[in-house]
Amino acid sequence: MPLARSLSVTSLSGLEDWEEDFDLEDAVLFEIAWEVANKVGGIYTVIQTKARLTCEEWGDNYFLVGPYMESSVRTQVELIEPCNPALRRTIDKMNASGCKVYFGRWLIEGSPYVVLIDVGFTAWSLDRWKSELWENFSIGVPWFDREANDAVLFGFLTAWLLGEFAAQCDSPPHIVAHFHEWLAGLGLVLCRQRQLPVATIFTTHATLLGRYLCAGNVDFYNNLAEIYHRYCLERAAARCAHVFTTVSKITAIEAEHLLKRKPDVVTPNGLNVKKFSAMHEFQNLHAQSKARIQEFIRGHFYGNLDFNLDKSVFFFIAGRYEFSNKGADLFLEALARLNYLLRVNHSEVTVIAFFIMPARTNNFNVETLKGQAVRKQLWDTAQTVKERFGKKLYESLLIGQLPDVSKMLDKEDFTIIKRAIFATQRQCQPPICTHNMLEDSSDPILTCIRRIGLFNSSSDRVKVIFHPEFLSSTSPLLPMDYEEFVRGCHLGVFPSYYEPWGYTPAECTVMGIPSVSTNLSGFGCFMEEHIADPSAYGIYILDRRYRGVDESCNQLTSFLFQFCQQSRRQRIIQRNRTERLSDLLDWRYLGRYYISARHMALAKAFPDTYCYELQDPTSTQGFRYPRPASVPPSPAHSLHSSPHHSEAEDDDEEERYDEDLEAEKDRLNIPITLPVQIVYSSAKNIYKVTNTFEPSPMPLCGLMLVYSYFLRRA
């Protein structure tokens, strides 16, 4: 029987068991967002990854509504005829009235139905609809704000779609409409104003004012004319919705003050977690991806490769190029302080810090491309010499003679080798940036690097590589996609100042890579709430809410320095622990909060049919991961029963035993009872005797593991 985790859906929050109380057979769910089949930002990831779970819950009664984008539809959507008769009549009537509405399947996991509306085709109605918006809601949208104009068109068209669908249904429908962000929010406001039979939900993933106020170098006051009407649309949607949700506790506080409504439910963002059949598989993927990153490092630092790659650790930060919001400024300052600590402590560890943030460039850096070409040339030279050496060795062995090593390499071989060595000579230091920046002198990252003096010199223990482009497996420079790159790194660093959720540290966790987050990010707050000791699981939570910048920077430096002091064995154990947290981020669990929000909306909109009783809908607290069952990873001190028992063998056995037993305890989430504690103490050479024995909940495979361990020790 396979091991199963004791963590269950209901253990996460204490939400009611809705399935017995709600019959969704006659209900229809529309989920409306500007990023349906249209990748713009993080909302696309939320909807895409959640679609499979929602399809399983709602079946053919689930429809996503978004804008029609020709380029995306060609590659992501299969256009088909509507399966729902009422929806078919709705689309036909709208198309006959001068709209262009398409129906199809989005080619992602779950294959959800999508309704795509061409907002540009109905631009002729924009002035009329903006006048209606002003007359009914006193919200004026200026002509020059194209994004807000699209929001007006999209909002009126989605309200038209929902109203027409309700009219075309044979019996009174129970419609749930879930709107994401202010770009889709006007449709919700119109549904309430027109008194449509629709249960409405509005989710804000980040408030507009929050983004503007936290963004650095933004002229807030002189841009109020471009902000205020968007804020009015967002606030109207939040105030009019039957149920208002946000993605994290920190965003809930923000929304309560800026939008003047406390969220009804906090709906954390999840991922589709695919578990490996064996624990070591993701560790193997880490080793493979790390080897590919090391090959890039060899080329980038050719001629200056005076550090040991086996004693190097890779840190990275990735995301939108928001220098202050994403915490790149704090990360760079901490790297400068870390560089000082490593140098004064004479550490053999070298840190390679990657900045993966897209910026304006015109091409690859010539010096960077040359480095990869030199690396490849050296590899080809080594292969050529190896083949010649191998052939001579083979011929010597054939005639029964021991090879004369001095004759294995002739003059031509030495000439080839010397030319290769001379080719690695470099007159300059390795480049910081892999591309030619269009605004090199004013770029925030490069300006900060010039100030702190991290120029990749031989004396620096911290090296910096700025890759101002998203990663791609087709790149001639670093041919890896983002997932491969993350798996190959040792630590993700995301000291964000403004991060409503934070998918990047969540993706690290699912892939078993430790990460640094903050208590100003939704992910950081969620992990603090659900884990008794986050740092023991490789989740470092930086305090940026109650500490000043300098204190936060010192704390981050401390995290990074402690990580650099870990041994390889300690990093392996920590990655195992981090990967075990992936269940917390699975939509199988976090989707329950969306289920709660939809049921609450149905109960508010149709009280005669549905009812709900929820104790604390905004709470995401319930289950808390305990501290790891074993002590923090540290070298084991063992006494040998035989002089032939090597120290290396003992360390390997202790490591395997510790990891296997710890994994089983944490996986089953059960305490080890008295007899097992006695055995474990014995394994650590602390011998105790007891006459009592009680049944242990430890599985048979776990007892066999302990038994076989003692057989080996005997």
Side-chain angles (χ1 to χ4, degrees):
M1 181 178 177
L3 293 174
R5 300 182 188 236
S6 62
L7 182 63
S8 66
V9 173
T10 54
S11 68
L12 276 177
S13 65
L15 296 174
E16 300 294 334
D17 189 4
W18 293 108
E19 285 74 10
E20 297 180 1
D21 301 329
F22 278 77
D23 181 11
L24 300 177
E25 187 174 345
D26 296 328
V28 180
L29 172 62
F30 288 90
E31 194 158 4
I32 301 110
W34 188 258
E35 297 193 33
V36 170
N38 175 38
K39 188 169 185 178
V40 177
I43 302 172
Y44 176 91
T45 305
V46 175
I47 296 170
Q48 182 196 40
T49 55
K50 185 171 61 67
R52 183 182 67 180
L53 183 70
T54 313
C55 285
E56 291 174 3
E57 181 192 359
W58 290 80
D60 289 342
N61 290 341
Y62 175 50
F63 304 98
L64 286 161
V65 181
Y68 178 85
M69 300 292 180
E70 181 70 29
S71 58
S72 299
V73 170
R74 282 195 210 135
T75 57
Q76 299 185 43
V77 178
E78 176 191 7
L79 297 177
I80 58 175
E81 287 295 316
C83 56
N84 186 297
L87 188 58
R88 186 188 304 116
R89 293 192 294 269
T90 299
I91 293 175
D92 290 342
K93 189 166 183 180
M94 288 183 68
N95 287 338
S97 302
C99 301
K100 264 195 178 180
V101 184
Y102 302 84
F103 185 85
R105 279 193 182 275
W106 192 2
L107 302 179
I108 57 174
E109 282 191 271
S111 300
Y113 292 126
V114 290
V115 179
L116 302 176
I117 304 173
D118 190 342
V119 295
F121 194 76
T122 52
W124 51 271
S125 301
L126 180 61
D127 289 339
R128 176 167 56 89
W129 287 341
K130 286 168 76 170
S131 298
E132 185 178 337
L133 181 63
W134 173 255
E135 291 170 2
N136 293 330
F137 308 104
S138 299
I139 299 176
V141 177
W143 61 270
F144 54 80
D145 191 342
R146 181 172 179 178
E147 197 172 16
N149 288 335
D150 286 341
V152 172
L153 291 169
F154 188 56
F156 273 88
L157 287 167
T158 52
W160 186 355
L161 175 77
L162 294 171
E164 193 63 46
F165 177 80
Q168 295 293 337
C169 289
D170 298 327
S171 57
H174 294 152
I175 302 172
V176 182
H178 191 157
F179 298 83
H180 292 267
E181 282 296 305
W182 72 275
L183 280 164
L186 180 56
L188 184 153
V189 178
L190 291 169
C191 286
R192 297 306 306 277
Q193 187 255 341
R194 297 173 183 178
Q195 299 183 354
L196 299 179
V198 177
T200 57
I201 306 169
F202 181 67
T203 297
T204 179
H205 297 259
T207 67
L208 281 166
L209 283 182
R211 281 202 185 278
Y212 277 107
L213 291 173
C214 292
N217 299 322
V218 173
D219 191 356
F220 178 72
Y221 291 102
N222 289 324
N223 285 283
L224 280 174
E226 299 178 7
I227 301 170
Y228 183 69
H229 56 279
R230 298 184 180 194
Y231 164 74
C232 290
L233 291 173
E234 180 183 44
R235 181 171 173 174
R239 299 293 296 273
C240 291
H242 288 103
V243 174
F244 174 47
T245 77
T246 59
V247 296
S248 64
K249 283 286 187 69
I250 195 72
T251 317
I253 296 171
E254 181 184 328
E256 185 176 358
H257 289 87
L258 297 181
L259 301 179
K260 297 302 179 183
R261 178 173 178 180
K262 184 178 181 180
D264 300 292
V265 183
V266 172
T267 52
N269 292 335
L271 290 163
N272 288 328
V273 178
K274 296 179 181 178
K275 304 299 291 183
F276 294 107
S277 58
M279 280 285 292
H280 62 268
E281 286 188 36
F282 82 94
Q283 297 280 11
N284 292 340
L285 290 174
H286 166 75
Q288 294 167 11
S289 298
K290 183 178 71 173
R292 296 185 64 184
I293 296 175
Q294 287 176 335
E295 283 301 298
F296 168 78
I297 296 296
R298 290 187 178 99
H300 192 82
F301 289 92
Y302 84 94
N304 296 81
L305 198 63
D306 51 1
F307 53 90
N308 189 347
L309 274 176
D310 291 330
K311 293 183 179 179
S312 298
V313 291
F314 305 148
F315 298 166
F316 81 98
I317 183 173
R320 288 188 304 273
Y321 197 173
E322 298 177 5
F323 185 64
S324 298
N325 273 358
K326 297 298 182 183
D329 53 349
L330 198 71
F331 186 27
L332 280 168
E333 185 63 39
L335 287 175
R337 300 182 187 188
L338 175 65
N339 185 48
Y340 172 79
L341 288 176
L342 294 175
R343 290 171 64 178
V344 298
N345 286 279
H346 305 290
S347 175
E348 296 181 349
V349 174
T350 301
V351 174
I352 314 292
F354 291 88
F355 287 74
I356 313 296
M357 292 181 159
R360 296 179 62 200
T361 64
N362 59 14
N363 213 331
F364 292 108
N365 188 306
V366 173
E367 189 65 25
T368 307
L369 289 173
K370 180 184 175 183
Q372 299 307 314
V374 169
R375 178 194 61 80
K376 189 176 185 306
Q377 183 184 11
L378 287 175
W379 175 260
D380 294 340
T381 300
Q383 295 301 310
T384 301
V385 174
K386 185 179 76 171
E387 289 177 8
R388 293 161 65 98
F389 183 92
K391 186 177 180 181
K392 292 176 183 178
L393 177 63
Y394 173 65
E395 290 174 351
S396 177
L397 295 175
L398 279 179
I399 60 176
Q401 292 182 356
L402 287 175
D404 186 353
V405 179
S406 63
K407 296 181 180 180
M408 288 294 101
L409 296 176
D410 55 25
K411 279 189 174 183
E412 186 179 351
D413 294 327
F414 278 107
T415 301
I416 294 174
I417 293 172
K418 288 178 181 178
R419 287 175 59 185
I421 293 173
F422 290 159
T424 63
Q425 294 181 359
R426 196 178 214 167
Q427 303 302 321
C428 62
Q429 291 179 352
I432 298 288
C433 189
T434 59
H435 293 60
N436 294 323
M437 301 289 291
L438 290 178
E439 299 171 351
D440 183 288
S441 61
S442 60
D443 181 79
I445 287 179
L446 296 181
T447 302
C448 185
I449 288 173
R450 294 185 189 105
R451 179 179 60 81
I452 61 180
L454 286 179
F455 297 122
N456 292 344
S457 65
S458 58
S459 61
D460 287 331
R461 301 271 36 92
V462 173
K463 318 287 186 181
V464 178
I465 298 176
F466 179 24
H467 189 281
E469 194 177 67
F470 283 132
L471 298 170
S472 170
S473 57
T474 59
S475 170
L477 194 63
L478 184 56
M480 302 178 71
D481 61 27
Y482 179 72
E483 181 178 340
E484 285 180 295
F485 177 79
V486 172
R487 285 194 184 279
C489 290
H490 297 92
L491 181 71
V493 184
F494 313 104
S496 304
Y497 182 70
Y498 185 78
E499 192 70 75
W501 175 247
Y503 258 122
T504 41
E507 289 164 342
C508 285
T509 304
V510 168
M511 289 185 265
I513 303 300
S515 64
V516 177
S517 187
T518 75
N519 58 358
L520 288 179
S521 74
F523 173 84
C525 294
F526 181 81
M527 285 303 188
E528 273 191 321
E529 190 176 2
H530 287 86
I531 306 173
D533 185 6
S535 60
Y537 287 91
I539 307 295
Y540 299 94
I541 310 297
L542 186 66
D543 185 3
R544 294 204 65 179
R545 188 175 180 186
Y546 302 108
R547 295 192 184 192
V549 175
D550 191 61
E551 287 182 288
S552 297
C553 189
N554 285 334
Q555 186 185 18
L556 177 57
T557 306
S558 175
F559 286 159
L560 301 182
F561 186 63
Q562 290 172 19
F563 189 88
C564 291
Q565 290 179 309
Q566 289 184 353
S567 65
R568 179 175 177 273
R569 173 194 172 190
Q570 289 171 323
R571 292 200 302 267
I572 289 173
I573 293 176
Q574 190 177 58
R575 281 197 296 271
N576 285 336
R577 292 176 179 171
T578 303
E579 193 273 340
R580 285 175 214 143
L581 297 179
S582 57
D583 279 346
L584 275 176
L585 303 171
D586 196 339
W587 274 124
R588 295 284 176 189
Y589 304 133
L590 298 184
R592 187 143 182 94
Y593 298 108
Y594 276 86
I595 294 172
S596 171
R598 290 192 286 264
H599 292 165
M600 187 188 300
L602 280 169
K604 286 186 175 182
F606 309 105
D608 296 337
T609 307
Y610 301 98
C611 63
Y612 75 97
E613 184 178 345
L614 196 61
Q615 299 298 325
D616 185 8
T618 61
S619 175
T620 57
Q621 191 170 2
F623 180 83
R624 278 178 67 85
Y625 260 81
R627 287 178 57 85
S630 68
V631 297
S634 59
H637 300 285
S638 302
L639 299 177
H640 308 311
S641 58
S642 166
H644 302 288
H645 190 81
S646 72
E647 187 175 330
E649 289 174 352
D650 182 71
D651 284 346
D652 288 343
E653 288 184 2
E654 289 286 355
E655 181 176 338
R656 285 195 299 269
Y657 175 73
D658 284 347
E659 290 182 30
D660 291 342
L661 187 57
E662 179 200 355
E664 191 164 337
K665 287 186 290 181
D666 287 353
R667 184 182 287 251
L668 293 175
N669 200 24
I670 58 173
I672 287 189
T673 55
L674 182 62
V676 182
Q677 286 176 334
I678 293 171
V679 172
Y680 190 79
S681 298
S682 301
K684 296 294 182 183
N685 296 312
I686 304 173
Y687 297 97
K688 297 180 182 179
V689 179
T690 180
N691 295 324
T692 61
F693 186 88
E694 298 178 3
S696 166
M698 194 175 193
L700 180 60
C701 59
L703 293 174
M704 291 301 294
L705 172 67
V706 179
Y707 176 66
S708 62
Y709 176 77
F710 277 102
L711 286 181
R712 294 200 306 270
R713 299 284 292 201

